[in-house]
Amino acid sequence: MSTKSSSVAWTEFRSNPISILGLVLVVFCIALAVFADFITPYPAHVGPIGDFTAINQAPSAAHWFGTDTIGRDLLTRIVYGFRLSLLMAVLVLSISMPVGVILGLLAGYLGGWVEFVLMRLTDIFLAIPPLVLAMAIMGFLPATLTNAMLAVTVMWWPWYTRLVYNVVRSEAREGYVLAAEVIGASPLHIMFREILPNCAPAVLTKLTLDIGFVVLMVSSLSFLGLGVQPPTPDLGSMVADGAKYMPDAWWLSIFPALAIMLLVLGFNLLGDGLREAFDAEV
């Protein structure tokens, strides 16, 4: 674990231009998602309503990213796609991260049969490729937004369990933990008040990286027809729908794909910058 103070870590982060680029991209994407209602030129095009006089128009001054097969402005739908992707990532990680962290703390500190049961269960989930597991879950459920989030959440908590478990196994031998045990502190106090703060840099770094990965995973499910369904604007489903009209209407797939790349790239660069700044192992 890193012994750097937050001020030193922040100084190193600011000195890395790649990290700053990632932060700028992330702030830009979040701003688009938050203020989509005010900055998009055709907010009514979020739903099934289109303009049949503007079907499959190439990029122009009126429609910067062109229009889709029923005349909806693609730029508008991509911006709202940012909002949906980020919302799903936040909801998935707000559930899976606490579950994984708590299980990792219990397995790493308590040891014994608790460690054996939790870590073997974690190993089973980690042995299955995430996309395959999500597809298997979605195969039994209707293709809805809620079920897509459920499928991704079920497969994501083991990564945090494994990460926190490794950190706790290392921290449990440190002097501050032994001192807390000597004065009679309870296991819950030691895990959540003593050890957990020292897991924060690694967890924060992984959380930042995982936002991009969750966006990519949800987009993959939508691309395969197992995620968000039309007319909800989703980047993955837009890429899949536009692929049918390549190469003539190239903008239908290219611009949503670039939007996914921009979003994932931003969080990956930001996460890498945090990892280098905190020397966190993820």
Side-chain angles (χ1 to χ4, degrees):
M1 291 295 299
S2 172
T3 57
K4 295 180 182 178
S5 66
S6 58
S7 59
V8 173
W10 172 240
T11 300
E12 292 191 8
F13 181 86
R14 287 187 301 173
S15 64
N16 187 344
I18 300 300
S19 304
I20 298 301
L21 175 60
L23 180 61
V24 170
L25 290 177
V26 167
V27 171
F28 174 71
C29 292
I30 293 176
L32 288 179
V34 171
F35 298 106
D37 296 335
F38 306 100
I39 63 177
T40 50
Y42 303 93
H45 290 186
V46 174
I49 300 175
D51 181 2
F52 290 100
T53 64
I55 292 176
N56 271 359
Q57 287 190 355
S60 63
H63 303 280
W64 290 3
F65 287 2
T67 62
D68 64 9
T69 54
I70 63 172
R72 294 175 299 191
D73 181 67
L74 201 60
L75 174 59
T76 297
R77 292 183 63 79
I78 287 175
V79 171
Y80 277 93
F82 276 141
R83 173 183 289 183
L84 180 66
S85 296
L86 289 171
L87 177 62
M88 292 185 67
V90 169
L91 291 177
V92 165
L93 293 174
S94 66
I95 297 173
S96 59
M97 185 269 289
V99 171
V101 168
I102 291 173
L103 295 180
L105 283 171
L106 294 174
Y109 184 73
L110 298 181
W113 68 267
V114 175
E115 175 187 3
F116 178 82
V117 172
L118 293 179
M119 296 315 299
R120 296 301 74 78
L121 180 62
T122 299
D123 291 340
I124 291 173
F125 275 88
L126 291 177
I128 306 173
L131 184 58
V132 174
L133 179 58
M135 291 173 60
I137 295 172
M138 288 301 297
F140 295 96
L141 300 172
T144 65
L145 174 62
T146 301
N147 290 337
M149 291 171 51
L150 174 63
V152 178
T153 302
V154 167
M155 71 185 187
W156 220 269
W157 64 267
W159 301 97
Y160 287 93
T161 300
R162 173 63 67 182
L163 171 65
V164 174
Y165 169 79
N166 291 331
V167 175
V168 172
R169 294 295 292 176
S170 174
E171 292 292 316
R173 297 188 293 270
E174 295 294 329
Y176 72 92
V177 176
L178 299 177
E181 292 175 343
V182 168
I183 64 175
S186 67
L188 288 177
H189 174 90
I190 294 174
M191 286 188 291
F192 289 95
R193 298 294 298 274
E194 304 292 342
I195 298 179
L196 182 58
N198 289 282
C199 300
V203 172
L204 176 62
T205 300
K206 181 165 180 57
L207 185 66
T208 305
L209 290 168
D210 279 354
I211 292 177
F213 290 133
V214 170
V215 168
L216 190 60
M217 190 67 59
V218 171
S219 297
S220 299
L221 289 175
S222 297
F223 180 85
L224 296 172
L226 299 174
V228 180
Q229 299 299 304
T232 304
D234 177 79
L235 299 176
S237 59
M238 280 191 274
V239 173
D241 292 339
K244 305 172 187 176
Y245 304 95
M246 291 285 286
D248 296 329
W250 54 268
W251 57 90
L252 296 178
S253 284
I254 295 299
F255 286 126
L258 290 175
I260 295 174
M261 184 187 74
L262 183 70
L263 193 56
V264 174
L265 178 64
F267 280 102
N268 281 354
L269 293 179
L270 178 59
D272 285 339
L274 292 175
R275 177 167 54 190
E276 293 179 6
F278 286 104
D279 289 336
E281 297 293 333
V282 298

